[in-house]
Amino acid sequence: MTDDLETPRRPEPGELNFTSPERRGKPPRHLADLTALQRRELVAGLGLPAFRADQVSRQYFHRLADDPASWSDVPASLRDDLAAALTPPLMSVVNERTADGGLTRKVLWRLFDGALIESVLMRYPERVTMCVSSQAGCGMNCPFCATGQSGLTRNLSTAEIVEQVMAGARELARGEVPGGPGRVSNVVFMGMGEPMANYDAVLSAVHRLVDKSPEGLGMSARGITVSTVGLVPRMRQLATEGLPVTLALSLHAPDDDLRDTLVPVNTRWKVAEVLDAAWEYARTTNRRVSIEYALIKDVNDQAWRADLLGKRLRGKLVHVNLIPLNPTPGSKWTASRPQDEREFVRRLEMAGVQVTVRDTRGREIDGACGQLAAAE
Ligand code: SF4
């Protein structure tokens, strides 16, 4: 670990940061950063047979074996060199906190340069969802979000994103999560960071997750959700990638006046423009768009806002997730009253819009959206 990581400056209200600060040193290069072809070239460059790259990739993605000593199809004399070249350590566990009887597990990770990120595993009867971070910190500065208040430290590499999923996959495979051995079925990019602000690494990570072994993990793209606060050019770009992932748009307000404050990126791309890009995504991919809406008491939960939201979404391929806000320490923002929440749901349903109130799994360990602030 190096000690060159400065604490990012706290952003001014409304200030946006789209670029990862320049830092000395890059995260270690790992096989998950590379395509299968690039891995073979790397191994051949070491003077080793290229097929060894496929063997190590299969160990990593398919057998979920991160200990080179267990790579039985690789000669013992080559394992350490191959591991150094292809699977260097990327992150170490600072702590793991569990809730819901061990079915929700939040891990705080330290990266090579000291940056801290978090990932959360949530096991449900019918699925296992990993919520991953795409950046250390976030430059989008949403005032109700703990991550946004601490600013952007840096973008994560593809492998740093993928490894969060793989760590969960290994825990599950080893039977360390109650409920017996299992697999990760869903990945949501809803941890720290704005995925679209680290587009290339996030897109490569999605490829690694859906590509078949030895190229990748072989998940279904339909199990993957990429969220955004509304970086319109990137939303339009994602629609052209031919990957049927779910797009989740964190809207949080149906009108520009409020959204300019709640989601400062709205000062760049207005509600109408963001929704147009969402509908284009739905048309191109034939995937239903998720609209995320954190219900905040007396801020965005009024009946007239429910009606305006219903009007804007009516007739579209869309599903609304209402998220009871998780209050962050010292914050004036808090969750809506139950009766206001019920009325909001009723009005959306009256408009013919599908809506669910999201399960706030992980609340007791600060693992729900907007609560990943990576404090030790
Ligand atoms: S809500 Fe999401 S986009 Fe907004 S500051 Fe928090 S992590 Fe960033």
Side-chain angles (χ1 to χ4, degrees), residues 138 140-142 144-145 147-148 191 193-194 229:
C138 183
M140 295 298 110
N141 202 6
C142 305
F144 58 87
C145 164
T147 305
E194 161 55 45
V229 279

Side-chain angles (χ1 to χ4, degrees), residues 131-133 188-193 195 225 227 248 292 358 368-370 372:
C131 175
V132 297
S133 297
V188 296
F189 286 82
M190 291 186 177
M192 297 175 78
T225 298
S227 73
E292 310 293 305
R358 192 195 288 157
C369 293
L372 300 184

Side-chain angles (χ1 to χ4, degrees), residues 64 121 130 164-174 182-184 217:
L64 306 175
L121 181 153
M130 283 293 313
Q164 296 169 60
V165 179
M166 299 308 298
R170 293 191 295 264
E171 261 193 316
L172 278 162
R174 290 193 292 251
R183 297 167 64 87
V184 175
L217 182 59

Side-chain angles (χ1 to χ4, degrees), residues 107-186:
V107 180
L108 177 64
W109 301 99
R110 189 187 306 282
L111 307 181
F112 86 102
D113 55 358
L116 298 174
I117 58 160
E118 291 177 324
S119 60
V120 187
L121 181 153
M122 290 160 281
R123 185 171 209 168
Y124 301 90
E126 73 296 357
R127 68 181 194 279
V128 179
T129 299
M130 283 293 313
C131 175
V132 297
S133 297
S134 55
Q135 300 181 305
C138 183
M140 295 298 110
N141 202 6
C142 305
F144 58 87
C145 164
T147 305
Q149 295 319 289
S150 355
L152 174 63
T153 301
R154 70 167 169 88
N155 281 338
L156 301 192
S157 68
T158 299
E160 285 171 331
I161 298 169
V162 172
E163 176 60 12
Q164 296 169 60
V165 179
M166 299 308 298
R170 293 191 295 264
E171 261 193 316
L172 278 162
R174 290 193 292 251
E176 290 166 14
V177 182
R183 297 167 64 87
V184 175
S185 55
N186 296 73

Side-chain angles (χ1 to χ4, degrees), residues 226-242:
V226 177
S227 73
T228 182
V229 279
L231 277 61
V232 165
R234 295 307 201 181
M235 292 167 71
R236 294 194 188 280
Q237 191 176 349
L238 187 64
T240 67
E241 304 283 1

Side-chain angles (χ1 to χ4, degrees), residues 211-356:
D211 290 347
K212 299 269 176 286
S213 171
E215 184 91 37
L217 182 59
M219 287 182 63
S220 162
R222 290 168 186 276
I224 296 177
T225 298
V226 177
S227 73
T228 182
V229 279
L231 277 61
V232 165
R234 295 307 201 181
M235 292 167 71
R236 294 194 188 280
Q237 191 176 349
L238 187 64
T240 67
E241 304 283 1
L243 280 167
V245 297
T246 299
L247 177 70
L249 170 62
S250 299
L251 195 64
H252 304 317
D255 54 306
D256 288 321
D257 275 354
L258 177 59
R259 195 165 192 268
D260 280 349
T261 326
L262 272 190
V263 185
V265 81
N266 199 69
T267 56
R268 290 280 180 102
W269 296 285
K270 296 296 181 190
V271 172
E273 216 179 332
V274 162
L275 288 176
D276 268 357
W279 309 147
E280 182 184 320
Y281 189 87
R283 263 195 316 276
T284 315
T285 61
N286 213 19
R287 301 284 295 153
R288 196 167 64 162
V289 171
S290 286
I291 299 287
E292 310 293 305
Y293 197 106
L295 275 179
I296 310 172
K297 183 177 158 191
D298 297 333
V299 173
N300 65 352
D301 62 355
Q302 301 84 351
W304 72 266
R305 283 205 161 91
D307 291 341
L308 179 58
L309 183 63
K311 198 167 140 207
R312 298 199 104 146
L313 305 189
R314 192 195 316 259
K316 302 295 187 188
L317 193 58
V318 71
H319 184 98
V320 176
N321 283 314
L322 295 176
I323 309 151
L325 187 83
N326 301 296
T328 57
S331 165
K332 60 180 173 155
W333 317 91
T334 187
S336 298
R337 298 172 198 88
Q339 65 270 30
D340 293 339
E341 180 184 300
R342 280 195 299 274
E343 183 61 11
F344 208 92
V345 170
R346 194 184 69 79
R347 284 174 183 257
L348 284 176
E349 285 173 346
M350 292 269 289
V353 175
Q354 285 187 34
V355 53
T356 41

